[in-house]
Amino acid sequence: MEVSARLSSKGQVTIPRAVRDALAIKAGDEVLFRVEGERAILARAPDLLGLAGSVSVPAARRGTPWDEIVRETRRARAVDRL
């Protein structure tokens, strides 16, 4: 599908109905813009809460404070770079 829209003087674009319908987006939904070279790609932003539970966490790691996870990840990446 290829649909055009006009940019307003305020830098705004109305997403054409056909595109909104194809992406199943409605008022209040977030969208994502990805620029690749001379093109911009519009996508429906993922619902991060909808991803909850989609990654299994080993029982021993459940409940680990986030700052500890970040610290361990950074330390592991630093070792990998050596």
Side-chain angles (χ1 to χ4, degrees):
M1 171 188 326
E2 195 167 297
V3 182
S4 66
R6 189 172 307 277
L7 185 69
S8 76
S9 62
K10 293 183 179 182
Q12 299 169 326
V13 166
T14 299
I15 301 170
R17 176 169 211 88
V19 175
R20 293 192 316 263
D21 291 346
L23 295 176
I25 55 177
K26 60 190 180 312
D29 286 349
E30 288 191 35
V31 294
L32 173 72
F33 293 93
R34 181 180 307 125
V35 177
E36 296 180 353
E38 294 290 317
R39 294 175 167 235
I41 298 171
L42 169 74
R44 187 169 38 140
D47 176 14
L48 297 179
L49 290 179
L51 297 175
S54 63
V55 176
S56 63
V57 178
R61 300 298 297 163
R62 292 182 190 148
T64 303
W66 183 248
D67 60 332
E68 184 179 330
I69 292 169
V70 170
R71 195 171 35 254
E72 289 176 7
T73 302
R74 287 181 179 158
R75 187 177 15 241
R77 287 182 180 167
V79 169
D80 289 345
R81 291 183 188 147
L82 296 178

